[in-house]
Amino acid sequence: MTDWEGPLGEAYERAQEYLITLPERPVGPRATAAELYDALGGALPEQSTDPQEVIAHLAKGVEEGLLPSGSGRFFGFVFGGATPAALAADWLTTVWDQNAGLYAASPAAAVVEEVAARWLVELFGLPAHTSVGFVTGAQMANFTGLAAARHAVLQSRGWDVERDGLIGAPPIRVLAGAERHDTVDRALRFLGLGTSCIEPIEVDGQGRMRADALAAALQDNESTIVCAQVGNVNTGAIDPIGEICEAAHKAGAWVHVDAAFGLWAAVSPTLQPHLHGIEKADSWATDAHKWLNVPYDSGLVLCAQPQAHRAAMSVRASYLIHDENGERDSLEFNPEFSRRARGFAVYAAIRALGREGIAEIVDRCHAMARRFADTLEAHGVAVLNDVVLNQVLVRFGDDDELTRRVVSEVQQEGTCWMSGTTWHGKAAMRISVSNWTTNEDDVDKSVAAILRCLAREGL
């Protein structure tokens, strides 16, 4: 008999301990790389080891090297946490071990993903026929959306890129904001278009693409993709999507929207007006492991032109079993073949929270970001951005070196964790409020820690 109880019981106890103590844990790793290698390394094992002992050894060895990004006082990058329903569903996803590439390989995974996909389209207010792919993150969501765009704009010029490749193809112009996220550039590299095809469009002081500058750059009868942004990675700024779509479509261009975290603002009645016209785009990229707070990894690509989406991703092989009744084969919408059944966690998160619960998380994170900005500003700290979503940029003493020292000091102190950035040539602390548990107490403790660290630096 296989002993499941030993290793799984050990894992459960370690998980419970971690989650229960998460609110009180220092928010930051406490071990050096050398210490982690000492605890976890060694020679290749020649003999077997009891599985329960392996789990206990692993958990103890990584303990001080974990970054508690699920904490309500973790404000680095744009990381979410994991809600109880999403985490539990993710555990079952591992236990069930389904390959979600084909309906035939897991009817349950296919149906759950299709249900979750319909819910997502409705939550975001997108056209009902929008197709959805479950990918690793916004990088692959941007890749997939831009692959669909590449197909469509070349097809309109009579070119089959899936069959004939790019050699000899009509050139593609990509018009993207000057403060676009690097995943757009990287996706274009993966797609064989290269970054030289990008023509940066001027942005305003918050990083929003200027619709008038885009309109001036657009030309009819060209293969053009416009990359808009909902949620600048530094400021949270939102491009004027409605104006961008109107101008782009008039010129026959495809509009792809990088909305890694910002698309979730569409669920909030308060913030949704900032996304006016979002439903007019052709494709969208976002993450569920950000504001929906499901475990990593969980990205989403959505496409208002399903035929282009499928044409860019579809595959056929004699040994594959494609359902004759038209059931959903997810590899038609993803760059992956075999993959984890990510839809279970997304389904559980949406079902547990409902529209109102998701909106409450988004609104609370926005309110906590405003609380950060208002409180720090009241203490003389410079806030560099308009807080439209969940991002707050602050700078100390108008001094690059001081700002970097405060960021490092805060990370080492352990009350909270923020990351640094450079914006408009100046160093800044970037505060991102994305966790479903963050509350006023978390913000107030974190502000106090920032001010203590600033005082230690002599300001």
Side-chain angles (χ1 to χ4, degrees):
M1 294 292 292
T2 301
D3 175 20
W4 296 109
E5 184 176 353
L8 290 179
E10 183 74 33
Y12 176 78
E13 290 181 12
R14 299 281 183 166
Q16 281 278 76
E17 180 185 6
Y18 180 81
L19 292 169
I20 290 170
T21 61
L22 191 56
E24 311 306 323
R25 282 175 173 264
V27 188
R30 291 289 171 263
T32 65
E35 289 169 336
L36 291 170
Y37 280 120
D38 285 344
L40 297 161
L44 172 69
E46 296 291 342
Q47 305 296 325
S48 61
T49 304
D50 177 72
Q52 182 172 352
E53 182 183 335
V54 170
I55 298 304
H57 174 81
L58 174 64
K60 182 180 179 181
V62 304
E63 177 76 12
E64 296 299 311
L66 296 173
L67 182 63
S69 55
S71 168
R73 295 190 306 281
F74 183 86
F75 306 107
F77 311 108
V78 193
F79 288 0
T83 61
L87 179 58
D90 197 61
W91 281 6
L92 286 174
T93 300
T94 300
V95 171
W96 293 332
D97 196 24
Q98 301 292 281
N99 185 331
L102 291 168
Y103 176 85
S106 180
V111 169
V112 165
E113 285 194 1
E114 183 64 17
V115 172
R118 294 306 99 208
W119 289 349
L120 289 162
V121 169
E122 185 176 349
L123 280 168
F124 296 142
L126 303 181
H129 61 268
T130 298
S131 55
V132 182
F134 292 76
V135 294
T136 53
Q139 174 67 81
M140 294 314 293
N142 279 327
F143 169 85
T144 306
L146 290 169
R150 182 185 66 173
H151 168 87
V153 299
L154 289 179
Q155 184 186 53
S156 70
R157 304 292 299 279
W159 188 269
D160 186 339
V161 68
E162 283 74 37
R163 183 190 65 199
D164 299 328
L166 289 171
I167 298 174
I172 293 177
R173 296 174 76 209
V174 177
L175 306 180
E179 292 193 18
R180 66 194 175 275
H181 196 274
D182 290 337
T183 52
V184 170
D185 297 50
R186 196 166 181 236
L188 293 170
R189 286 166 44 203
F190 293 168
L191 288 165
L193 297 173
T195 56
S196 64
C197 71
I198 300 173
E199 298 181 28
I201 302 300
E202 186 179 351
V203 297
D204 67 13
Q206 291 293 308
R208 288 179 286 259
M209 184 192 293
R210 287 182 47 187
D212 59 339
L214 172 67
L218 285 164
Q219 299 175 29
D220 293 338
N221 302 316
E222 286 197 328
S223 305
T224 304
I225 301 168
V226 175
C227 289
Q229 183 172 233
V230 173
N232 180 290
V233 74
N234 282 309
T235 68
I238 300 167
D239 288 348
I241 300 297
E243 296 175 63
I244 288 170
C245 289
E246 183 177 356
H249 289 156
K250 186 176 180 181
W254 177 292
V255 179
H256 173 72
V257 181
D258 174 18
F261 58 93
L263 191 55
W264 295 97
V267 187
S268 161
T270 304
L271 298 177
Q272 193 279 333
H274 292 305
L275 278 64
H276 175 71
I278 189 71
E279 74 284 355
K280 297 177 182 177
D282 298 290
S283 57
W284 305 263
T286 193
D287 280 326
H289 55 228
K290 288 187 169 65
W291 252 342
L292 188 60
N293 280 251
V294 305
Y296 278 93
D297 51 28
S298 188
L300 301 163
V301 59
L302 305 101
C303 188
Q305 298 192 34
Q307 71 283 0
H309 190 174
R310 293 185 73 157
M313 294 291 116
S314 183
V315 63
R316 286 290 187 271
S318 61
Y319 70 94
L320 296 178
I321 303 173
H322 295 282
D323 192 81
E324 295 179 354
N325 298 317
E327 299 295 354
R328 186 179 193 274
D329 289 328
S330 73
L331 56 72
E332 301 278 278
F333 306 98
N334 297 280
E336 300 158 306
F337 218 103
S338 298
R339 69 170 183 82
R340 181 176 177 82
R342 301 183 186 96
F344 290 131
V346 174
Y347 174 95
I350 297 174
R351 192 168 187 88
L353 291 167
R355 185 193 297 272
E356 290 183 358
I358 298 169
E360 192 279 329
I361 291 174
V362 172
D363 286 338
R364 177 157 41 85
C365 286
H366 172 63
M368 294 306 100
R370 277 250 48 99
R371 188 179 184 90
F372 259 118
D374 293 344
T375 310
L376 287 169
E377 200 164 40
H379 285 85
V381 175
V383 177
L384 305 180
N385 67 312
D386 300 330
V387 182
V388 293
L389 291 178
N390 61 333
Q391 302 294 97
V392 186
L393 276 184
V394 298
R395 179 172 167 84
F396 304 99
D398 198 22
D399 184 300
D400 285 353
E401 186 55 36
L402 174 63
T403 298
R404 294 188 183 103
R405 290 202 308 270
V406 174
V407 170
S408 179
E409 181 80 17
V410 168
Q411 291 174 349
Q412 294 300 315
E413 197 259 4
T415 298
C416 54
W417 202 98
M418 290 82 168
S419 50
T421 190
T422 300
W423 189 60
H424 292 181
K426 295 183 177 182
M429 173 185 280
R430 185 167 69 113
I431 302 169
S432 176
V433 188
S434 310
N435 190 283
W436 69 284
T437 66
T438 298
N439 56 31
E440 293 181 354
D441 185 56
D442 290 318
V443 173
D444 294 345
K445 286 180 179 177
S446 299
V447 168
I450 293 169
L451 296 175
R452 282 197 305 271
C453 293
L454 180 60
R456 281 200 286 268
E457 292 295 335
L459 190 68

